[in-house]
């Protein structure tokens, strides 16, 4: 689950992380009022969407010469002008895609004089089972480009959660940033507090870009992106309340109601699979056969008929879907239950695209019999390779 920048900073501040003063605003008048509460005379007005690259983004309604989604304002009139431009308009960034995202919230912060900018992120290292702290002197830049062009400028430090953040970790962060004296102490303190926030909120990622040194020698978090492990939200009702559904795809919201792991993609073959690994393999083999998956959808190991029916409807709600591949390996999940759900969903939505089903595992023969006796044009497959070849062929035949 992602949250907005202003929410992330408010949360990190509770852990003692230093952030500039700022206030959220939902209207132009609120933005001006927010600025009037700040010391000034420089303010920063930031569009709040769940995407990076806001400063370099463009508002589609304002023309090609319009400024981006992060603007400096030197008086309250400039704050009002920036807020008027942003609110209700569509911001297109490198991460939103061409459709962009409508700006419904703003964050007005106190401006600071920046001497240096750094990058600092924490994430789960699934290979080691530890927390990785990624540090770079190249803050304020596209970190992916830095990693590609100058990887030596990025250092990664793994922290064992059994021992936690130790003093030597703080010294290592300061050294990686080239900081000494009081700034080195500040860097160690910030890193320690970010680690505490990471564990304390069950975060999957905390990204600070930039972490800035100000002209008066302070280390401040100027931008923050925080994402949480959705599976841990039952422990954090307060964090779950920060969810902004207007930033999410409608199909993904619907899927969450049925505890389905669903991510919309740009392809044309809908996928319904049980198990994340099997889902990834299914998407790969579709691409291997010359087409692209329209989604990642894992119905889980304990799906019932209602859940399968809901999954089918979500896939078919995507107008780009030209065919569906169902790939089920029944263990805890029984193939006959899956088959019942497929038949019920196909009849309820008047299925009009090709459907290929590969079933294997518990009660597989009963499942195949249900599909064969359904009277629907369901194409059975023997294995994953056979299923991928058949769905691609069926879609091309129907085109």
């Amino acid at each position: 689950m992602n949250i907005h920048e202003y929410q992330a900073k408010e949360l990190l501040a509770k852990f003692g992380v230093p952030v500039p003063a700022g206030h959220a605003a939902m209207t132009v008048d609120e933005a001006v009022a927010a600025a009037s509460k700040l010391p000034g005379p420089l303010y920063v007005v930031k569009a709040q969407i769940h995407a990076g690259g806001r400063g370099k983004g463009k508002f589609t309604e304002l023309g090609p010469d319009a400024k981006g989604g992060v603007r400096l304002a030197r008086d309250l009139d400039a704050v009002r002008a920036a807020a008027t431009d942003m609110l209700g308009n569509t911001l297109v960034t490198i991460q939103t895609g061409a459709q962009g995202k409508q700006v419904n919230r703003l964050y007005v912060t106190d401006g600071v004089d920046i001497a240096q900018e750094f990058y600092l992120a924490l994430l789960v290292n699934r290979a080691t089972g530890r927390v990785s702290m990624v540090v770079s002197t190249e803050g304020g830049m596209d970190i992916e480009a830095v990693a590609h062009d100058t990887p030596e400028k990025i250092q990664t430090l793994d922290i064992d959660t059994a021992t936690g953040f130790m003093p030597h970790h703080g010294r290592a962060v300061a050294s990686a940033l080239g900081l000494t004296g009081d700034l080195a102490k500040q860097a160690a303190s910030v890193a320690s507090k970010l680690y505490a926030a990471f564990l304390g909120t069950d975060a999957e990622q905390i990204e600070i870009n930039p972490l800035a040194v100000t002209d008066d020698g302070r280390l401040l978090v100027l931008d923050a992106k925080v994402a949480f492990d959705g599976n841990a939200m039952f422990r954090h009702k307060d964090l779950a309340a920060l969810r902004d559904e207007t930033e999410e795809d409608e199909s993904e919201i619907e899927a969450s109601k049925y505890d389905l792991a669903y991510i919309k993609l740009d392809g044309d073959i809908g996928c319904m699979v049980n198990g994340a690994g099997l889902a990834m393999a299914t998407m790969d083999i579709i691409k291997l056969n010359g087409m692209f998956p329209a989604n990642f959808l894992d119905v889980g190991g304990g799906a019932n008929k209602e859940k399968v029916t809901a999954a089918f409807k979500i896939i078919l709600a995507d107008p780009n879907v030209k065919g569906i591949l169902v790939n089920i390996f029944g263990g805890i999940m029984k193939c006959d239950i899956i088959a019942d759900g497929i038949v019920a969903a196909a009849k309820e939505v008047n299925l009009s695209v090709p459907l290929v089903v590969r079933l294997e595992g518990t009660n597989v023969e009963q499942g195949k019999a249900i599909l064969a006796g359904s009277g629907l044009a369901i194409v059975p497959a023997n294995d994953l390779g056979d299923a991928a070849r058949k769905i691609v062929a069926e879609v091309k035949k129907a085109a």
Side-chain angles (χ1 to χ4, degrees):
M1 187 189 85
N2 297 314
I3 58 175
H4 290 291
E5 176 196 355
Y6 76 90
Q7 296 169 321
K9 285 185 176 177
E10 289 173 359
L11 180 64
L12 294 178
K14 293 178 180 178
F15 286 86
V17 177
V19 300
H23 306 281
M26 310 300 172
T27 68
V28 173
D29 287 341
E30 285 183 8
V32 175
S36 66
K37 299 175 186 177
L38 300 172
L42 181 65
Y43 313 100
V44 186
V45 183
K46 296 186 170 187
Q48 297 295 283
I49 59 172
H50 287 178
R54 292 169 294 162
K56 296 180 180 179
K58 297 294 182 182
F59 286 93
T60 56
E61 297 90 346
L62 303 181
D65 297 326
K67 297 177 182 177
V70 178
R71 304 189 192 179
L72 297 179
R74 299 190 180 278
D75 54 44
L76 296 184
D77 287 339
V79 171
R80 180 176 294 277
T84 301
D85 275 355
M86 294 183 191
L87 282 171
N89 286 328
T90 304
L91 180 60
V92 178
T93 80
I94 192 172
Q95 292 186 9
T96 64
Q99 75 279 4
K101 285 181 176 287
Q102 181 173 301
V103 177
N104 300 315
R105 309 182 188 199
L106 299 176
Y107 186 37
V108 183
T109 73
D110 198 28
V112 298
D113 294 318
I114 301 172
Q116 288 178 281
E117 293 184 330
F118 304 121
Y119 177 93
L120 178 60
L122 293 89
L123 50 90
V124 177
N125 187 331
R126 302 192 186 282
T128 63
R130 298 184 175 189
V131 175
S132 285
M133 194 167 281
V134 182
V135 188
S136 177
T137 55
E138 305 304 298
M141 299 180 64
D142 182 351
I143 196 65
E144 290 81 9
V146 175
H148 181 270
D149 299 334
T150 53
E152 69 278 3
K153 294 183 178 180
I154 297 177
Q155 297 188 41
T156 301
L157 172 68
D158 277 353
I159 303 172
D160 190 339
T161 55
T163 56
F165 191 94
M166 306 290 284
H168 69 85
H169 294 129
R171 292 192 294 272
V173 169
S175 176
L177 296 178
L179 298 176
T180 58
D182 182 62
L183 281 173
K185 294 178 181 178
Q186 290 186 53
S189 174
V190 169
S192 175
K193 290 169 181 175
L194 287 172
Y195 179 82
F198 189 87
L199 290 192
T201 63
D202 285 308
E204 286 186 332
Q205 173 184 311
I206 294 179
E207 183 179 45
I208 309 301
N209 190 24
L211 174 66
V213 177
T214 65
D215 282 352
D216 58 359
R218 293 177 296 153
L219 202 60
L220 288 179
V221 169
L222 296 192
D223 198 358
K225 182 184 296 182
V226 176
F228 305 108
D229 181 354
N231 294 318
M233 285 300 96
F234 71 93
R235 289 199 291 259
H236 304 281
K237 301 298 183 183
D238 56 331
L239 299 181
L242 300 178
R243 182 181 182 185
D244 181 2
E245 292 190 352
T246 65
E247 290 289 320
E248 301 177 25
D249 181 86
E250 290 183 5
S251 296
E252 294 179 10
I253 296 172
E254 182 67 16
S256 69
K257 296 176 183 177
Y258 295 91
D259 197 28
L260 296 167
Y262 174 88
I263 300 172
K264 189 179 183 302
L265 303 173
D266 296 329
D268 35 31
I269 304 295
C271 307
M272 186 173 78
V273 190
N274 67 318
L278 189 59
M280 296 297 289
T282 302
M283 293 192 295
D284 285 344
I285 204 163
I286 288 172
K287 293 180 69 174
L288 186 64
N289 280 272
M291 297 194 82
F292 293 88
N295 63 269
F296 170 100
L297 196 157
D298 174 12
V299 297
N304 53 28
K305 182 178 177 179
E306 178 188 22
K307 197 171 183 178
V308 172
T309 303
F312 225 77
K313 289 180 180 179
I314 290 168
I315 292 173
L316 290 171
D318 183 351
N320 295 325
V321 169
K322 299 175 182 176
I324 299 175
L325 172 56
V326 177
N327 181 26
I328 299 296
F329 187 85
I332 300 172
M333 167 95 56
K334 295 180 173 61
C335 292
D336 54 333
I337 293 176
I338 288 289
D340 278 334
I342 291 170
V343 171
K347 289 180 177 179
E348 188 171 336
V349 301
N350 295 319
L351 183 66
S352 59
V353 298
L355 171 62
V356 173
V357 179
R358 180 255 183 162
L359 296 178
E360 193 59 71
T362 306
N363 294 351
V364 64
E365 295 306 324
Q366 295 95 313
K368 289 180 177 179
I370 290 169
L371 296 179
S374 67
L376 300 172
I378 299 174
V379 179
N382 298 320
D383 53 44
L384 182 50
D386 182 45
R389 289 188 293 272
K390 283 181 175 177
I391 190 59
V392 169
E394 290 293 324
V395 168
K396 289 181 177 180
K397 186 193 304 181

